[in-house]
Coordinates of all heavy atoms in Angstrom, one line a residue:
R35 N 17.5 -21.4 52.4 CA 18.5 -20.7 51.5 C 18.3 -19.2 51.7 O 19.3 -18.5 51.9 CB 18.5 -21.2 50.1 CG 19.6 -20.6 49.3 CD 19.7 -21.2 47.9 NE 19.8 -22.6 47.9 CZ 21.0 -23.3 48.1 NH1 22.0 -22.7 48.5 NH2 21.0 -24.6 48.1
K36 N 17.1 -18.8 51.5 CA 16.8 -17.3 51.7 C 17.0 -16.8 53.1 O 17.5 -15.7 53.3 CB 15.4 -17.0 51.2 CG 15.2 -17.1 49.8 CD 13.7 -16.9 49.4 CE 13.4 -17.1 47.9 NZ 12.0 -17.0 47.7
A37 N 16.7 -17.7 54.1 CA 16.9 -17.3 55.5 C 18.4 -17.2 55.7 O 18.8 -16.2 56.4 CB 16.3 -18.4 56.4
A38 N 19.2 -18.1 55.3 CA 20.6 -18.1 55.5 C 21.2 -16.8 54.9 O 22.1 -16.1 55.5 CB 21.3 -19.3 55.0
Q39 N 20.8 -16.5 53.6 CA 21.2 -15.4 52.9 C 20.9 -14.1 53.7 O 21.7 -13.2 53.8 CB 20.5 -15.3 51.5 CG 21.4 -15.0 50.4 CD 20.7 -15.2 49.1 OE1 19.5 -15.3 49.0 NE2 21.5 -15.2 48.0
K40 N 19.6 -14.0 54.1 CA 19.2 -12.8 54.9 C 20.1 -12.6 56.2 O 20.4 -11.5 56.5 CB 17.8 -13.0 55.4 CG 17.2 -11.9 56.2 CD 15.8 -12.1 56.6 CE 15.3 -10.9 57.6 NZ 14.0 -11.1 57.9
L41 N 20.5 -13.7 56.8 CA 21.3 -13.6 58.0 C 22.8 -13.6 57.8 O 23.5 -13.6 58.7 CB 20.9 -14.7 59.0 CG 19.4 -14.7 59.4 CD1 19.1 -16.0 60.2 CD2 19.1 -13.5 60.2
G42 N 23.2 -13.6 56.6 CA 24.6 -13.5 56.2 C 25.4 -14.7 56.5 O 26.6 -14.7 56.9
M43 N 24.8 -15.9 56.4 CA 25.5 -17.2 56.7 C 25.4 -18.1 55.4 O 24.5 -17.9 54.6 CB 25.0 -17.8 57.9 CG 23.5 -18.2 57.9 SD 22.9 -19.0 59.4 CE 22.9 -17.6 60.5
S44 N 26.3 -19.0 55.3 CA 26.2 -20.0 54.2 C 25.1 -20.9 54.4 O 24.7 -21.2 55.5 CB 27.5 -20.7 54.0 OG 27.6 -21.7 55.0
Y45 N 24.5 -21.4 53.3 CA 23.4 -22.4 53.4 C 23.9 -23.6 54.1 O 23.2 -24.2 55.0 CB 22.9 -22.7 52.0 CG 21.9 -23.9 51.9 CD1 20.6 -23.6 52.2 CD2 22.3 -25.2 51.7 CE1 19.7 -24.7 52.2 CE2 21.4 -26.2 51.7 CZ 20.1 -26.0 51.9 OH 19.1 -27.0 51.9
W47 N 26.3 -24.0 56.4 CA 26.4 -23.8 57.8 C 25.1 -23.8 58.5 O 24.9 -24.4 59.5 CB 27.1 -22.5 58.1 CG 27.5 -22.3 59.5 CD1 28.7 -22.7 60.0 CD2 26.8 -21.7 60.5 NE1 28.7 -22.4 61.4 CE2 27.6 -21.8 61.7 CE3 25.5 -21.2 60.6 CZ2 27.1 -21.3 63.0 CZ3 25.0 -20.7 61.8 CH2 25.8 -20.8 63.0

Side-chain angles (χ1 to χ4, degrees):
R35 187 168 306 282
K36 289 177 184 176
Q39 226 171 14
K40 176 182 179 177
L41 298 173
M43 59 182 72
S44 76
Y45 174 82
W47 191 91

